[in-house]
Amino acid sequence: MKKNSNTLEILIEKALENLPLSVEELRYLLTIHDEDQIELLKRGARQIRSHFFGNEVFLYGFIYFSTYCQNYCSFCNFSARSATARYRKAREEILNISAELEASGVHLLDLTMGEDPYYLTNSGKALLELVSAVLDITRLPLMVSPGVVEAELLQKFADLGVSWYACYQETYSPVLFQKLRSGQNFYKRLYAKRMAKKMHLLVEDGLLLHVGESVGNIFSSILAMHSLDVQQVRVMTYVPPKVNGIPGQKKHHLDEETLIAILRFVFPDRLIPASLDVQGIGGMSSRLMAGANVISSIVPPKSGLKGVSQTTLDIENGKRTVGIVSQALKEMGLQVAEQDTYWAWVEEAKIGNSHGAVRRKAGLSQ
Ligand code: SF4
């Protein structure tokens, strides 16, 4: 690709028209390391976000309802290897927290768990009952993040009216995947997402940053997520668990905010979270300034709920609440979207599920 001073402007124009970048253009974005250029990249990402979403931001309520897990992920606080204290919230409590989050003004409820056998045995019967009970008491779209599950269970989620299936590959390097998700099947995880899309569930995928990946790994991971045509894509910096985790390894110049900006160029009209789970409320604005448009991991205080990465940061002091986030958004000239706007986006994205893959095939995925 021939580069000149207008290259970024040209890529902004392409993104504004929702045209896929070429692989050379993605490679170019991943090489940017000059501070002035990174600022231009982020400014471009904000312009693209503003074109597709105005100044509106979506808020996700996070309910990590079981921290039991049968897996041995080397980056996770709740790996089966870890002797950390765990909880499995009672159904009534989960329903109360869901209602509290809805009343506080979030746009979506994210029901997350470790791969807890209590919920997954008997073809996921207990999980289905819980999901059904939450759907009965909420008018909000529901995201489920239960780990890898069978296609039949995904179909039942879709039949119940679940909107999203979140399942993070963390990397599309099969070698690095084994280091991170030790003993798990790379292709089974990918297959679950493909199945979810077939069943018209929206899919969120994501990358973990500074776990020993190279720029080349990031490049192929972005290509893979683009090819999968996910509706929400997140990048999160690795925060080593207090015990047993692999050490953080930064092998390149890219940080979370720069990657959020690059993702905005690659996925112009998709959702990109600014997670409160890495740096708490203090890290929100830099991620929004990079083009994110969802605030994820809003957790009510006094609920006893944990975060995934930073398990307690800003939860009990009430800084991961809609009130605090809304105020911070206002100070940045952004605002919380209307509930109807989010529902409309979800419905439109579901229709696009069947067309999007075809539309996007012409670009990065080749
Ligand atoms: S990342 Fe998820 S699947 Fe892996 S150990 Fe943690 S809770 Fe379990």
Side-chain angles (χ1 to χ4, degrees):
M1 181 192 153
K2 210 169 172 186
K3 279 169 265 175
N4 57 42
S5 57
N6 292 329
T7 303
L8 263 181
E9 281 75 8
I10 292 166
L11 298 190
I12 293 169
E13 286 307 317
K14 274 188 94 167
L16 291 175
E17 289 182 41
N18 207 3
L19 294 171
L21 271 54
S22 68
V23 287
E24 290 77 20
E25 287 164 342
L26 174 58
R27 264 190 228 286
Y28 161 68
L29 290 179
L30 290 167
T31 62
I32 293 177
H33 58 272
D34 173 87
E35 269 184 35
D36 292 341
Q37 285 288 102
I38 288 175
E39 276 320 302
L40 287 176
L41 178 79
K42 290 179 184 172
R43 191 190 300 168
R46 294 197 295 277
Q47 191 184 340
I48 298 162
R49 177 188 65 201
S50 164
H51 178 78
F52 288 99
F53 297 96
N55 67 346
E56 296 189 324
V57 173
F58 304 125
L59 312 183
Y60 284 9
F62 184 64
I63 307 168
Y64 196 6
F65 63 93
S66 172
T67 58
Y68 284 86
C69 188
Q70 62 194 2
N71 288 333
Y72 291 85
C73 299
S74 59
F75 57 90
C76 178
N77 286 289
F78 298 105
S79 149
R81 185 174 292 118
S82 172
T84 190
R86 294 169 198 271
Y87 62 80
R88 185 182 292 123
K89 293 287 182 191
R91 183 187 300 192
E92 272 318 298
E93 206 177 342
I94 298 168
L95 295 179
N96 289 339
I97 292 167
S98 301
E100 185 186 344
L101 277 167
E102 178 165 3
S104 77
V106 298
H107 297 94
L108 167 141
L109 298 175
D110 173 1
L111 281 183
T112 291
M113 65 176 211
E115 288 192 16
D116 179 355
Y118 170 84
Y119 279 106
L120 295 175
T121 46
N122 292 327
S123 309
K125 185 168 177 281
L127 181 56
L128 273 175
E129 284 169 4
L130 174 66
V131 166
S132 175
V134 173
L135 283 167
D136 278 349
I137 58 118
T138 184
R139 285 162 298 150
L140 297 180
L142 193 64
M143 172 183 274
V144 291
S145 316
V148 175
V149 294
E150 299 297 330
E152 293 73 21
L153 189 52
L154 291 168
Q155 184 63 65
K156 285 176 183 160
F157 288 149
D159 293 344
L160 280 175
V162 169
S163 298
W164 287 91
Y165 174 56
C167 183
Y168 308 117
Q169 204 78 11
E170 310 298 5
T171 175
Y172 275 82
S173 153
V175 174
L176 183 57
F177 179 93
Q178 273 314 316
K179 193 174 142 198
L180 298 177
R181 294 193 175 275
S182 173
Q184 295 168 57
N185 188 312
F186 177 92
Y187 297 99
K188 198 172 173 196
R189 198 168 187 88
L190 178 54
Y191 179 75
K193 285 178 273 207
R194 289 204 176 119
M195 285 298 102
K197 280 192 65 77
K198 274 198 172 158
M199 290 151 192
H200 300 287
L201 289 163
L202 303 179
V203 169
E204 180 184 17
D205 200 350
L207 303 181
L208 199 56
L209 198 60
H210 304 324
V211 284
E213 77 287 346
S214 63
V215 174
N217 293 150
I218 295 173
F219 171 75
S220 21
S221 297
I222 294 175
L223 288 187
M225 293 191 297
H226 189 270
S227 168
L228 192 56
D229 198 30
V230 296
Q231 286 82 16
Q232 181 161 304
V233 56
R234 74 101 166 97
V235 55
M236 262 174 74
T237 308
Y238 173 51
V239 180
K242 292 188 182 74
V243 286
N244 279 336
I246 53 168
Q249 284 182 69
K250 186 170 188 213
K251 287 188 171 172
H252 51 75
H253 63 285
L254 294 159
D255 61 17
E256 185 176 324
E257 285 85 347
T258 305
L259 268 172
I260 285 174
I262 291 172
L263 290 174
R264 177 55 69 204
F265 276 75
V266 177
F267 298 90
D269 62 343
R270 305 296 158 109
L271 305 181
I272 302 177
S275 174
L276 301 179
D277 220 29
V278 180
Q279 294 179 307
I281 190 77
M284 189 180 87
S285 71
S286 63
R287 288 161 176 79
L288 288 166
M289 290 299 280
N293 67 329
V294 169
I295 307 302
S296 62
S297 300
I298 288 183
V299 182
K302 300 187 182 69
S303 60
L305 291 175
K306 301 277 192 207
V308 169
S309 175
Q310 292 274 18
T311 57
T312 54
L313 181 65
D314 279 348
I315 294 179
E316 284 315 306
N317 62 9
K319 290 190 175 172
R320 281 164 71 163
T321 54
V322 171
I324 295 286
V325 167
S326 308
Q327 184 55 36
L329 288 175
K330 215 169 173 183
E331 285 161 15
M332 294 181 69
L334 296 168
Q335 65 178 41
V336 177
E338 294 291 326
Q339 186 59 48
D340 288 350
T341 308
Y342 186 69
W343 257 124
W345 192 93
V346 165
E347 290 306 322
E348 216 167 287
K350 276 187 184 167
I351 295 165
N353 231 350
S354 42
H355 306 301
V358 177
R359 177 168 56 83
R360 288 175 164 262
K361 248 186 191 158
L364 270 174
S365 53
Q366 288 189 330

